[in-house]
Amino acid sequence: MSRKIEVIASDDGSSTIFLPNMNETYHSTHGALQESEHVFIKKGLSYLAEKQEEITILEIGFGTGLNALLTQIFANQNQNIKIHYHTLEPFPLDLEVIQQLNYVECLKGSKELKNEFETLHQISWNECHQLNPNFIFTKYHTKLEDFDTLLNEVDLVYFDAFAPSRQADMWTIEQLERVAKAMKSQGILVTYCANGQFKRNLKALDFELEMLDGPPGKREMTRGIKS
Ligand SMILES: C[S@@+](CC[C@H](N)C(=O)[O-])C[C@H]1O[C@@H](n2cnc3c(N)ncnc32)[C@H](O)[C@@H]1O
């Protein structure tokens, strides 16, 4: 059965996806681009890049590829940083949907950037691709519950699942333990979510939590450090 998918505009003008059957969007409707830049790039990648030059990232939910695109741009702009990007997606979006997303236009990107964005979506699954000298990209066509490829390797997790109110089973201790196993000690997890049960689950897995200012429209976000 095919999913019903709508491309809509969020408040900062950037696109996001709305799933009517789930009544859920892929990003904050207050601003998709602003949310990704704030939560994942500023509070995750930029924060870690001040401390180390080689960073392995695991993203839960590739979706539109917005976080991957912003990370690739960061790598292009910071040639001293080497990024290994791993991302999971069981339900890939069709290219015709991807072509309706306006991220490259919002970022005032070139034709080359548009090609880079589409390449992220078109290249093969479950294989490692060196897209730039300092950006190595692998996307896995799988669910988190079936993923055990990485062990003690990840420096930074972009935990970008649908909200706990829509997909509670992504935020359980069992799922978070899978993520924790992939992470190095002192690795960092960032997410837009500040849900109480989620935070208690992270604490039960020995994460230290920092509550940070959220993106527009959201008071708080979470950064967890695996201890
Ligand atoms: C909130 S969206 C965010 C996607 C993406 N980061 C973006 O910026 O577009 C959540 C994503 O998680 C994916 N997803 C759903 N179930 C999943 C599972 N069991 N394991 C991994 N990803 C899942 C969805 O298909 C969707 O692409």
Side-chain angles (χ1 to χ4, degrees):
M1 196 181 76
S2 69
R3 286 188 302 170
K4 200 160 182 284
I5 287 173
E6 292 174 16
V7 176
I8 61 167
S10 65
D11 289 351
D12 65 2
S14 62
S15 316
T16 188
I17 307 264
F18 175 60
L19 300 180
N21 295 345
M22 202 179 182
N23 191 23
E24 175 67 322
T25 50
Y26 275 45
H27 308 95
S28 164
T29 54
H30 296 285
L33 189 53
Q34 285 177 350
E35 178 185 52
S36 287
E37 282 176 335
H38 179 86
V39 175
F40 301 106
I41 305 302
K42 184 169 171 211
K43 301 298 185 186
L45 181 56
S46 300
Y47 170 78
L48 200 57
E50 284 176 15
K51 303 173 204 253
Q52 61 190 75
E53 294 190 338
E54 187 150 3
I55 299 179
T56 298
I57 297 176
L58 173 62
E59 177 183 38
I60 309 304
F62 175 61
T64 62
L66 176 56
N67 295 333
L69 175 69
L70 294 175
T71 303
Q72 188 170 10
I73 292 171
F74 186 95
N76 290 343
Q77 292 168 345
N78 295 276
Q79 295 290 326
N80 58 321
I81 305 276
K82 186 165 189 180
I83 297 177
H84 304 264
Y85 197 99
H86 302 264
T87 183
L88 314 188
E89 181 54 68
F91 310 112
L93 294 165
D94 291 340
L95 192 61
E96 84 174 355
V97 173
I98 297 304
Q99 285 168 339
Q100 294 173 49
L101 302 171
N102 67 358
Y103 301 134
V104 174
E105 291 78 358
C106 289
L107 292 162
K108 304 197 180 354
S110 58
K111 206 169 167 214
E112 198 183 326
L113 190 67
K114 200 168 180 60
N115 289 338
E116 286 183 348
F117 182 50
E118 289 187 7
T119 298
L120 292 174
H121 288 276
Q122 287 175 305
I123 55 178
S124 55
W125 294 90
N126 309 314
E127 282 175 345
C128 181
H129 301 271
Q130 176 127 24
L131 297 180
N132 290 342
N134 66 335
F135 187 71
I136 298 143
F137 180 80
T138 312
K139 55 179 186 175
Y140 302 85
H141 190 189
T142 186
K143 292 183 172 175
L144 173 58
E145 32 286 57
D146 300 325
F147 184 73
D148 58 5
T149 306
L150 302 174
L151 193 62
N152 297 323
E153 285 176 67
V154 174
D155 300 291
L156 175 61
V157 174
Y158 295 166
F159 201 83
D160 200 11
F162 291 125
S165 57
R166 299 293 187 275
Q167 199 181 3
D169 61 2
M170 286 302 285
W171 304 83
T172 59
I173 293 215
E174 291 72 26
Q175 289 284 55
L176 294 171
E177 197 168 20
R178 283 190 189 96
V179 174
K181 277 188 184 156
M183 295 169 72
K184 289 180 188 163
S185 169
Q186 300 301 308
I188 287 169
L189 177 152
V190 279
T191 178
Y192 65 87
C193 179
N195 168 279
Q197 185 58 52
F198 161 63
K199 288 190 284 185
R200 286 191 287 281
N201 289 348
L202 277 185
K203 280 188 189 152
L205 291 166
D206 284 336
F207 278 76
E208 284 166 26
L209 300 193
E210 286 178 275
M211 299 317 295
L212 308 174
D213 288 346
K218 196 140 200 307
R219 199 165 56 85
E220 284 188 324
M221 60 162 279
T222 307
R223 184 161 64 202
I225 301 169
K226 181 183 161 182
S227 56

